[in-house]
Amino acid sequence: MLKTTINTQIAFKLHESEITAHIETLKQEDLILIQSICGKIGIDYRYVFIKRRYRELVTARCIICHYLYKLGYTLVNIGNLLSTSGYDHITVIYALKQHNNLNKVDAKYQSIFNLTLEQPTPPRYAGLSYVNGAVG
């Protein structure tokens, strides 16, 4: 489980109205997916939209990018979903590479990612299953 720092909470309070406005523009199914991933790793889903590079936020965003990409989202779509946190398609590519690298060598990251492997599936993805990093 990830623990949020006091800095994360302060950063959220500073940008709460901007983040809330962005969240209101998201599709319900996208929001459910982000909420379920964040819930599994123990972080408030609203925090992933903060434009800060705190370790717990970077970890959560890398995992979210991984799942969204595996579910067929384009790099641009993923960047738009996380746009208030400064994500564009290049940042998403970096996050995906970072996920792959960390998942190979970092035991702490692996344990956090493993918490998310059995995700509740939003209705849009009811026909897909996610097993061992592959969508089928």
Side-chain angles (χ1 to χ4, degrees):
M1 296 286 260
L2 288 173
K3 294 181 181 176
T4 57
T5 63
I6 191 71
N7 291 338
T8 301
Q9 296 166 9
I10 292 169
F12 175 74
K13 285 293 183 192
L14 290 173
H15 302 284
E16 187 171 8
S17 61
E18 176 187 353
I19 292 167
T20 302
H22 177 70
I23 289 171
E24 290 173 0
T25 67
L26 299 179
K27 294 180 187 174
Q28 188 64 28
E29 58 206 18
D30 297 335
L31 187 57
I32 290 171
L33 185 62
I34 292 170
Q35 288 172 330
S36 65
I37 292 169
C38 290
K40 290 280 187 177
I41 60 178
I43 189 171
D44 186 324
Y45 76 95
R46 299 172 302 171
Y47 291 175
V48 300
F49 300 104
I50 298 171
K51 190 175 181 175
R52 296 288 187 271
R53 292 184 289 182
Y54 304 136
R55 171 52 46 205
E56 70 271 15
L57 302 180
V58 171
T59 298
R61 288 191 292 254
C62 283
I63 292 171
I64 289 168
C65 286
H66 169 76
Y67 276 106
L68 293 174
Y69 188 71
K70 290 294 183 180
L71 289 170
Y73 284 71
T74 66
L75 300 173
V76 172
N77 288 344
I78 297 168
N80 289 339
L81 282 175
L82 300 173
S83 65
T84 59
S85 57
Y87 268 50
D88 62 10
H89 71 285
I90 300 299
T91 310
V92 174
I93 291 171
Y94 181 78
L96 292 170
K97 287 180 182 178
Q98 189 175 19
H99 167 78
N100 290 332
N101 293 337
L102 289 172
N103 204 33
K104 290 177 187 173
V105 298
D106 187 335
K108 184 175 180 180
Y109 186 90
Q110 290 169 352
S111 67
I112 292 167
F113 177 64
N114 288 339
L115 293 172
T116 67
L117 287 177
E118 294 187 24
Q119 283 297 319
T121 308
R124 175 178 172 186
Y125 309 109
L128 299 174
S129 62
Y130 192 93
V131 180
N132 295 331
V135 176

